[in-house]
Amino acid sequence: MLETVLVFLLLVYILNYFVGKKLNKKLASLWVQENKEVFQSEFSHIGVTDQPNGPLIDSESAHQFKFYASGRQNCLYSLVSIELKKRQDLLTMFLFNIIWPERDRISIEIPIDVNVAIPIVFAIVRRKEAKFVT
């Protein structure tokens, strides 16, 4: 009886891994497809390879993805990091998420060519956190 329960739990864990991984990949791909036109209009090259019809995103793990764009004047590149909930990890999703809830996060990094551009700081923050930005 105990062995049956353990095998069942193992199968549920494995099934959840593949379903969660597929869902995260789908969410990352959906974000890229929704924002692809914006990046195409602003940058001359998008995607993680030099090939014209190559993949647009790179999967670093089951919950972390990267999107790359380059070819804009005064900008070195654009790197979008998509970090999603660990939906593939059953333990994280149900036990740890109760104590430390996770959110899907996207960060966009666009370094400006310092040899050409004037010094500037641009940030989107909450009003009460604005005093900490320098």
Side-chain angles (χ1 to χ4, degrees), residues 6-93:
L6 291 177
V7 168
F8 176 74
L9 289 175
L10 182 64
L11 289 174
V12 167
Y13 191 84
I14 292 171
L15 178 68
N16 183 71
Y17 176 81
F18 289 111
V19 169
K21 182 178 175 181
K22 184 177 179 180
L23 180 59
N24 278 344
K25 176 107 174 138
K26 182 179 177 182
L27 288 172
S29 297
L30 181 64
W31 186 89
V32 169
Q33 291 304 318
E34 290 289 325
N35 296 287
K36 179 180 172 181
E37 291 179 14
V38 173
F39 282 94
Q40 280 178 333
S41 68
E42 298 295 330
F43 294 92
S44 64
H45 172 74
I46 63 169
V48 292
T49 63
D50 292 335
Q51 302 161 350
N53 293 327
L56 295 177
I57 59 173
D58 182 30
S59 176
E60 291 193 339
S61 67
H63 68 283
Q64 294 178 332
F65 302 89
K66 299 283 184 185
F67 172 75
Y68 181 79
S70 65
R72 181 175 171 93
Q73 189 175 359
N74 299 331
C75 296
L76 299 177
Y77 58 86
S78 172
L79 179 65
V80 179
S81 300
I82 304 171
E83 188 171 330
L84 302 172
K85 290 181 185 179
K86 297 178 184 173
R87 291 176 176 89
Q88 78 283 359
D89 188 358
L90 196 62
L91 199 63
T92 302
M93 279 303 291

